[in-house]
Amino acid sequence: SPEGSSSGGASGPAGSTVAFLMPDTGSTRYELHDRPGFESKLKELCPDCKPLYNNADSSVDKQQQQFNSAIAQGAKVIVLDPVDSAAAVSLVNSAQSQGVKVIAYDRPIPDAKVDFYVSFDNEGIGKAIGDSLVKKVKEGSVPSGGGLLLVNGSPTDAAAGLIKKGVHEAVDSSGVSVLAEYDTIDWKPENAQKWVAGQISRFGADKIAGVVAANDGTGGGTIAAFKSAGGSVPPVSGNDATVAGLQLIIAGDQYNTISKPSEIVGGAAAQAAVDLLSGKAPETTGDVFGSPTKLFTPTLVTQDNLKSEIVDKGITPASELCTSEYAAACAKLSIQ
Amino acid sequence: MSTNTALDRTDERLSDSSGARGVVSSSLRNIRDGDLGFLPVVIGLVIIAVIFQILNPVFLSSVNLVNLTLDSAAVGVIALGIVFVLLVGEIDLSVGSVSGFSAAITAVLFVRHGLNLGLAVLVACLVACAIGLLYGVLLTKFGMPSFVASLSGLLAFLGLQLAILGDQGSINLPFDSALVQFAQLAFLPAPVSYALGAVFAAGFLLARLGVRRRRTRANLSAPPLGVVVGGAVLLLIALEFVFWYLNRARGVGWMLVFFLILVLVANYAITRTKWGRSLLAVGGNREAARRSGINVSFIYWSAFVLTALLASVGGLLSAGRLASANLSSGTGDVNLNAIAAAVIGGTSLFGGRGSAFSALLGTLVISAIANGLTLLNLESSYRFVITGVVLAVAVGIDSLARRSRASHGRA
Amino acid sequence: MSTNTALDRTDERLSDSSGARGVVSSSLRNIRDGDLGFLPVVIGLVIIAVIFQILNPVFLSSVNLVNLTLDSAAVGVIALGIVFVLLVGEIDLSVGSVSGFSAAITAVLFVRHGLNLGLAVLVACLVACAIGLLYGVLLTKFGMPSFVASLSGLLAFLGLQLAILGDQGSINLPFDSALVQFAQLAFLPAPVSYALGAVFAAGFLLARLGVRRRRTRANLSAPPLGVVVGGAVLLLIALEFVFWYLNRARGVGWMLVFFLILVLVANYAITRTKWGRSLLAVGGNREAARRSGINVSFIYWSAFVLTALLASVGGLLSAGRLASANLSSGTGDVNLNAIAAAVIGGTSLFGGRGSAFSALLGTLVISAIANGLTLLNLESSYRFVITGVVLAVAVGIDSLARRSRASHGRA
Amino acid sequence: MSAAAPATAGPPPTGSGHPLLSLSGISKSFGAVQALTDIDLQVDAGEVVALVGDNGAGKSTLVKVLAGVHQPSSGTFLFDGKPVHLADPSAAIDLGIATVFQDLALCENLSVVDNLFLGRELSPFALDETTMEVRSWELLRQLSAKIPTVRIPIASLSGGQRQTVAIARSLLGDPRIIMLDEPTAALGVAQTAEVLSMIRRVSERGLGVVVISHNMEDVRKVADRVVVLRLGRNNGVFDARTVTTARLVGAITGAEDDQ
Amino acid sequence: MSAAAPATAGPPPTGSGHPLLSLSGISKSFGAVQALTDIDLQVDAGEVVALVGDNGAGKSTLVKVLAGVHQPSSGTFLFDGKPVHLADPSAAIDLGIATVFQDLALCENLSVVDNLFLGRELSPFALDETTMEVRSWELLRQLSAKIPTVRIPIASLSGGQRQTVAIARSLLGDPRIIMLDEPTAALGVAQTAEVLSMIRRVSERGLGVVVISHNMEDVRKVADRVVVLRLGRNNGVFDARTVTTARLVGAITGAEDDQ
Ligand SMILES: Nc1ncnc2c1ncn2[C@@H]1O[C@H](COP(=O)(O)OP(=O)(O)OP(=O)(O)O)[C@@H](O)[C@H]1O
Ligand SMILES: Nc1ncnc2c1ncn2[C@@H]1O[C@H](COP(=O)(O)OP(=O)(O)OP(=O)(O)O)[C@@H](O)[C@H]1O
Ligand SMILES: O[C@@H]1[C@@H](O)[C@H](O)OC[C@H]1O
Ligand SMILES: [Mg+2]
Ligand SMILES: [Mg+2]
C-alpha cells in the first residue's frame, strides 16, 4: 500500500515528495515570492521531485490538517512556516517520529529540534525599521510632548510578536517617546487607519513625529489616516517591499520598508530539503534554538536605495512601480 | 380639525383623546409600556458617549466626531444593505467578500487597466448585482438556504478577490482620484451644510403637513399642527447643531451625507412603496404574501441584489477612504459587524420587522465603541473584552425596553 | 402480525399497505416526493469523494481517511453543540471563542499552575457552562437576542483568552498528558474496534426489535421483522467495513468513537426524552410551548449551556490534537464552520427542525472538502473558490431534494 | 359506495347558466395521504355553491387547488370554458379568483390596512395611505367589524376581527368568483348575518361564489347548490332549496352508505 | 349604559354550588386599546358557563388571563376561594386549569401525538411512544376525529382536525376546570355533537367548564349560565335554560341599550 511506508532518510532525493506549507494569505509574499522561489529551485536541483503546496489561512487547525495530509501523501521533507510556533512543536514531533524531516521556515519553532531553520530575521526586521525611522525622526525636531505611534501586527500572530519585540528594542532606548501603540487585528489596514485617525484626534497631527508600522499594509492605512486628516504625513515605516508600499515610498508618503526577496529564502529551503534527502548536512550560518540555521539579513529600503536594491537587482521591475500616477516621482528618483 | 369624531377615533375602547393632549398621553403610555421605538438605542449611544468621554475627553471633540462619521459611512452602507435581506427573513454572509471583491475589481480596472473610474465602478456594481441575483435564484429556484449559498459565496468571492489582485496583493488608488477625494477629503462647505440641514427639515415638515392635510380632509385623525411644526423645528435645531459642531473641525463629509441620503431613500422604499410593503409581507409570512399575488421570487431577488449592491458600494467607499484595495479588504469582522449593526438597530433576524434607520443607529453604536477604544491605551485583550461588554450593555438597554413592551402585550 | 388492521392503518385514504410491500412502496413514494432524509447529503458526500479521488487518489486512502476522521471530531463536537441552540431557534456565535478560551484555561491551570488535568478540564467546562447560562439568562430575563449576546461574548472571551495566555501567547501541552495522548495517539486496537461495531449494530437491532414488539402488542403497525433485521445487518457490514478500512492505517481513533457516542447520546436526548421534545416545541412555537406548561426558560438555558459545554469540549480536543493552546485557538472560521456544518446537515436556522446526525454529516462535508483541498497544490485564491463552489454543489443536491419535497406538499 | 348517483344530474344551475369554472377528475395526494380523488365541480356565474363535508374531507384542499396554492396531481380545470393551469396563486388572482382561506393567510406583522391592500396597493410608488385607510374603514363597517384601529398589526386582533379582515380583502379588486373557506367560523351573530347577505349581494351581481361551511342552516340559507365531499371524493350534489339538513348530514357522514 | 343591572343577581349557580374560580374587577389594556374593563366572573364546580360576546368583546383576552397567558392590569382572582397570581401558563396548568385556545397554540412542526402529550409526556427519560400513540387514537376516536395518521406534523392537518387535537389535549391530564375558546368553530356536524356531549359529561364529573361560542343554539344546549361581554365590559348574566336567543343577541350587540 502507498500509505504508511515511511522508511525516511538518505535514499536519495529522486522522486521524493517535498511539502511547502505557508501560514496565511494576509501577506502576499508567500504565494508571490516564497513559493515560486522554492519550486523553481527544487525543480532545478531535483527535476522529478514533487512539490506540495498549501496555505493555512492563519488557522492552526488547518495547518495541522495540511501537515498530516502531506505525510499521508508520502512527503519526506516538510518545509513549515508555522502559523503558531508553539503549536508546531507537536507537528514536528509527529513527523520526526514517522521519519519525516522538518525545515522551519520564516518563523522559528523554539521548542522543537527541527532539522533545519531558514529565515529572514523577524526580530531583526523590527529593529531595522525602528532604528531607521527613529533616526529619520530625530533628523527633524520632535515637538515637545510629541512622539511616535507604534502600529504592530496582529495580536494573534507570533511573527508579529517578534517584529514588535524588535521595534521596541529600537524605540525604547532611542529617547523618542511612544505616544501610543496598537496591535492591528488581522493585520487589516482599515483597522490601522481607524486607530491612527483616533490618535490624530487625540494628540493632534503635529504631535505625531513618526509611525512605526509593522508592514506595508498597516503603513498604508496609517498614511491614509494622515491624508484624510488633511495634514502632512510624518515618516511612516513599512515592511515587505510590496509594490504598493514601494510606490508610496517613491511618492514620498512612506519612509521605509524591508526588502526580503523571499525567492532566495524559498530557494534556500529547497536546497536544504534536497540536501537532507540525500543525507548531506545543509550549509548553515549558525545555530538558533539548537537547530542548524541559515538566516538571511533583510535589506532596509528607503528612497535613497530603492533603485539600487529593488529595481536594479530585478526584484520588482520599474514598469510595475512606475505606473502613470507615479511616473513623475519615479523620474525624480531616476527610476525607469 | 372637524368637530365630529374622526373616522378612526370612534371606538370607545380607544383611550386616546385627539389633539395635543392625545399626543402627550399616548407618549406617556408608550414610555410606560416600553414602546419607545429607537429611544433605547439612542440612550445606549448616549451611555457609550458618556463613558468614553469620561475616559478620554477627546471622544466628543469635533475632530473625533468627524472621524466617527466617516468611519461609520462605509460599514453603514453595508449594514443598510443587510437590512433588505433581513427584512425578507434571509441572510447574506458574503457582504464582506463582495465589498472586497468590488474594491478589487474597481482598482484593477481603474489603476491597472486604465479604465475610466466611473466605468470601473459600474462594472463592480454590476458584478455585485449579478452575485445578489445568483443567491436569489439559488433560493427561489433551487431552494438553497441563503445561509449556505452566501457562505459559499463568502469563500468563492474572497478567492476571486485574491485571484484578481494577483501578484501585487494590494493596489494603491491615486490620492487625487475622485473616489479617494470623495471618501477622504470631500466636505460640505459650512453654508452648504446648514442649507442642507434646512432642506432636510423642510422636507420633513412638508411631508408631514401633506399627510396631515390629506388625513384631515378624509376625516381621519391627524397630529395637531403644533406637534408637526414643533417636530420639524426640533429636527432643524438638532441637525444644525450637529452640523455646526462638525464644522468646527473638518466638517460634514460628503460620505456622511451620501450615507444619510441612502438611508432616507431606503426608508422611503421600505415604508412608502408597494415593493417595500411586499418585502415586509414576504418576511412576515411568505405563504400569505404568495397567496396575495405578490411575486415572491422577484421580491427575494430584489432584496439580494440590493444587499450585494450596497455591499459593493460600501466596499468602494472603504477602499476610497483607505486609498487602496487589498487582500484583506472586506475580510475579518466586516460581515459580522454589518449584520450586528442592523440587528442592534432593531431589525429582526427572522424577517418582517426592521427599518432603514436601524442600520444608521446600529452602525453608530458599533463605530462609537471601536472609535472610543482607539482613544484609550489598552492591551488588545482588554480591547476585545471591553468591546464585548459595552456592546452587551448598549444593546441590553434596548432589550429591556422591548421586553417591557412584550410584557405589556405589544407585538 | 395480527390479521386485523392495525390501529393506525384504518383510514382508507392511506395508500400504504402494511408489511414489506408497504415499506417498498412507501420508500418509492418518498424518493418520488423528495422525502429522502439524509440521503441527499450523503450523495453530496459521495460526489465530493469521487471528485477528490479523481484529482488525487490519496483521498480515499486509509491514511488520509484516518486523518479526516480525526479532523472531524473536534469541529464535529462543536457543531453538535450548535444543533441545540439552533433547535430552539437561537444562535451562538461565540463557540469558537469559548473553545479557545476553554483550551487556554485548561492549559494555564494544568501547565502553568500544575493543577491536575482532570480538575483543569472540569474548571474549563464549568466556565463554559456559566457562559451558556449567561446567554440563556440574558435572553430569558433581559430579552437580549442571542445573536447580539453571543457576538459580545465572541469578543469578550477572545479577549479573556488573550489575557490569560498572556505574553507568551501559547502554551504547549505535554505530549504524555492524557489529553494529548487521547487526541493524538489513542486508537482502538483492531479487535476492539470490530467488537464496537458489533455492539453498535446489536444495540440498534435490540432497540428496533423492542419498538416492534411493543407496537405489535398494541396493535399498531410495525416494520416487518425482515426489514428490521436487514437494516441491522447492513449497519453491521457498513461499520465493520469502515473500521477495517481505517485499521489498515492507524485505525479507529478514540476521538472519533467519542464523537460518535456523543452524537448517539444527543440523538437519544433529542428524540427520546421529554426534554428533547420540549426543545423542538420551543423552537417550533415558543408561545405554544409556554402554554403547554413547558418551562421555556429552562429549555433555553439548557440549550445554551450544552452548546457552550460542547464548544468547550471541542476546544479541548482541538488543543489536545495540537498539543498546544494558543492565541488563535478557536478563531478564524471555527464559528462559521460549526454553524454551517449543522445547517448543511439539515438543521434549520429558524428552530424546531434538526437532528444530532446533521452535525455528523455536515462536519463530514466540510472536513472532506477541506481535507480534499489539502491534497491539491493550489493557490489560496483557487482554494477559496473551489471550497465555495463544492460546498454549494454538495448542499445544492440536498436543497433540490427538499424543494421537490416542498412541491409535493410535505412540510 | 357513492351515494351520489341519484343526485349527480343535480338541480338546474340557478345562476346565469354560464359556467364560470369547471373541474373534472381532480386528484391530489400528500405523501401517503390521498386528499382528493377524482373530484368534479362546476360553478356558474351568479351561482352560490356550498361545499360541505366532514373534517378532513378535502374541502380546503380543493379550494387551494382552485386558488393556485396547490397543483393537482391530475385532472382538468376549465375557466370560462378554456383549460387553464394555475402555476401559482397570482395566476388565480389574475383570472379573477378571490379566496378567503381557512387559515386566513394574513401577515401578522402588518397592519389591518396593509393586509387589506396587500398585493393591490394604491399608487405603488407613493402609497396612498389615506385613501386606503378610508376604504378600509368603509369595508370593515360594511361587515360590522368591531376593530378599534386599523393601524395595529393583525397579530393583535381577535379571531373574529381577523376573519373579517380576510373577508374584506376578497371584496377589494374586481373578482369574478369568490371562494370563502368557512368564512363565518369565528364571526359573531351580526357579522355572520352581514357576510351571508354579502354573499347573496355579490352573486346577484353575477359573481360565482363557493362557500364552505359546517353550518347546514347557513348553507341552506345562502346556497343554490350543495356539493358534498366525503373522504376526498364527491358524495352527491343537492339543490339547496329542496334538500333537508338530515339528508345533507347523511351524505357528509356517509350514514347513507350504510342504508 | 350597562344593561347588566337586571341580570347581575343572576340565576342560582347550577353546579355543586362550590365556587371554583372567581374574578372581580379584572382589567387589561394593550397600548391604547382597553380590552377588558372591570370584569367579574364566577365558575362553580360542575357548572358550564358560556361566555358570549361580539367579535373583539374581550372573551379570548379573558380566557388568556385565566390561563396565565396575560397578566391583568388590575383585579383579583380567587381559585378555590384563595387569591392566586398566575405568573405564567404553567401556574394555571398546575392549578388544574386546562385551556383550548382560539388560536389552538399547537406546534406545527410536531406530530399529532407529540402535541397531544406536549408538557405531559409519558416516561420523560425514555418516551413511551407506543402508549402515547394508542392513547391518542382512543382520544381522537372518542371525538370522532377523522385523522388519517397521528405521526404527521400538525402543519399538514385540516382546520377541523387541528381543532380536535387541541380539544383532545385538554382532556388529558386531570383538570379541574376546562376552558374552551370557540371549540367547535371549525368542526363538522358529528364532531360538534361529540364535543357538546363531552362538555356535559365532564361537567357532570364535577369539573367547571367555560365555553365560548357564537352559536346561541349550542350555548343554550350546553350551558348553565351565560355571561355576556360587550366592548370589554360585563353586559349581563343569564340563566341558559330560560333566556331567549333574541335576548342574548340583544345583550351581545348592545341593541338593548338603545331601547
Ligand atoms: N400539506 C398537507 N400535507 C399533508 N396532508 C395534508 C396537507 N394538507 C391537507 N392534508 C390532508 O388532506 C386531508 C384533507 O384536508 P383538508 O384541509 O382539505 O380538509 P377539509 O375538508 O378542509 O377539513 P376541515 O373541515 O377540517 O377544514 C386531511 O386529511 C389532511 O390531513
Ligand atoms: N396582544 C394584543 N395586542 C393588542 N390588542 C389586543 C391584543 N389581544 C387582543 N387585543 C384587542 O383586545 C380586544 C379583545 O380581543 P379578544 O381576542 O379578547 O376578543 P374576542 O372577544 O375573543 O373576539 P372574537 O370573538 O373575535 O374571538 C380586541 O379589540 C383586540 O384587538
Ligand atoms: O512579512 C510579514 C511576515 O513576516 C509576517 O509573518 O506576517 C505579516 C507579513 O507582513
Ligand atoms: Mg378546511
Ligand atoms: Mg376570541
Side-chain angles (χ1 to χ4, degrees), chain C residues 13 409, chain D residues 30 35 55-61 102 182 214, chain E residues 156 158-161:
Chain C
R13 283 163 299 179
Chain D
F30 299 106
N55 292 135
K59 307 180 293 299
S60 299
T61 305
Q102 189 173 12
E182 309 200 15
H214 290 296
Chain E
S156 50
S158 82
Q161 291 169 337

Side-chain angles (χ1 to χ4, degrees), chain A residues 25-28 32 155 179-183 185-191 193-195 197-202 220-221 223-225 227-230 242-245 247-248 253 320 323 325-326, chain B residues 56 58 61 63-64 67 71 111 162 166-176 184-185 187 250 318 321-323 326-334 371 373-378 380 383-384:
Chain A
T25 46
S27 91
T28 52
L32 297 183
L179 294 174
E181 73 177 300
Y182 171 68
D183 298 338
I185 293 154
D186 299 334
W187 286 99
K188 273 194 75 171
E190 283 87 350
N191 292 337
Q193 179 184 22
K194 282 184 190 148
W195 182 76
Q199 307 321 300
I200 295 173
S201 331
R202 200 174 153 196
I223 290 165
K227 289 258 179 186
S228 68
T242 60
V243 172
Q247 286 175 331
L248 290 175
D253 290 323
E320 246 179 73
T323 52
E325 201 207 338
Y326 298 97
Chain B
N56 188 334
V58 172
S61 69
V63 179
N64 192 52
N67 273 344
D71 285 346
V111 178
L162 304 191
D167 354 321
Q168 296 186 358
S170 167
I171 297 180
N172 290 331
L173 296 172
F175 281 106
D176 52 7
Q184 290 196 343
L185 300 170
F187 290 89
R250 275 178 294 159
S318 191
R321 188 151 151 71
L322 190 64
N326 57 61
L327 295 178
S328 72
S329 300
T331 63
D333 48 11
V334 173
N371 175 292
L373 283 172
T374 65
L375 303 179
L376 308 178
N377 278 336
L378 284 175
S380 313
R383 257 171 221 289
F384 283 117

Side-chain angles (χ1 to χ4, degrees), chain B residues 240-262:
Chain B
E240 298 295 4
F241 174 76
V242 169
F243 288 178
W244 167 80
Y245 197 71
L246 294 177
N247 279 327
R248 290 179 53 203
R250 275 178 294 159
V252 182
W254 270 110
M255 205 153 72
L256 174 66
V257 173
F258 177 70
F259 173 43
L260 290 179
I261 290 177
L262 280 184

Side-chain angles (χ1 to χ4, degrees), chain B residues 83 86-89 270 279-281 283-284 342-343 345-355 358 398 402 405 411, chain C residues 145, chain D residues 109-110:
Chain B
V83 168
L86 291 186
L87 282 180
V88 294
I270 294 168
L279 277 184
L280 293 169
V343 173
T347 292
S348 164
L349 277 169
F350 297 94
R353 196 167 55 77
S355 149
S358 70
D398 187 38
R402 274 175 221 279
R405 181 174 56 191
Chain D
N109 57 326
L110 297 183

Side-chain angles (χ1 to χ4, degrees), chain C residues 328-404:
Chain C
S328 68
S329 300
T331 62
D333 46 13
V334 173
N335 286 316
L336 220 48
N337 273 352
I339 300 172
V343 173
I344 289 167
T347 292
S348 164
L349 277 169
F350 297 95
R353 195 166 57 76
S355 152
F357 293 111
S358 70
L360 176 62
L361 289 168
T363 303
L364 283 178
V365 167
I366 289 196
S367 302
I369 296 176
N371 176 294
L373 283 170
T374 64
L375 303 177
L376 310 178
N377 281 329
L378 282 177
E379 305 242 337
S380 304
S381 51
Y382 298 115
R383 219 149 24 80
F384 282 120
V385 174
I386 292 180
T387 309
V389 172
V390 175
L391 191 61
V393 170
V395 178
I397 293 165
D398 187 38
S399 304
L400 270 177
R402 273 175 221 278
R403 210 186 122 70
S404 137

Side-chain angles (χ1 to χ4, degrees), chain B residues 286-348:
Chain B
R286 177 185 175 152
E287 182 59 18
R290 189 172 81 100
R291 295 195 193 167
S292 302
I294 290 175
N295 185 338
V296 174
S297 297
F298 171 77
I299 295 297
Y300 280 118
W301 299 343
S302 60
F304 282 108
V305 165
L306 270 174
T307 301
L309 178 60
L310 286 173
S312 161
V313 171
L316 293 176
L317 293 181
S318 191
R321 188 151 151 71
L322 190 64
S324 140
N326 57 61
L327 295 178
S328 72
S329 300
T331 63
D333 48 11
V334 173
N335 286 316
L336 222 47
N337 273 352
I339 300 173
V343 173
I344 290 167
T347 292
S348 164

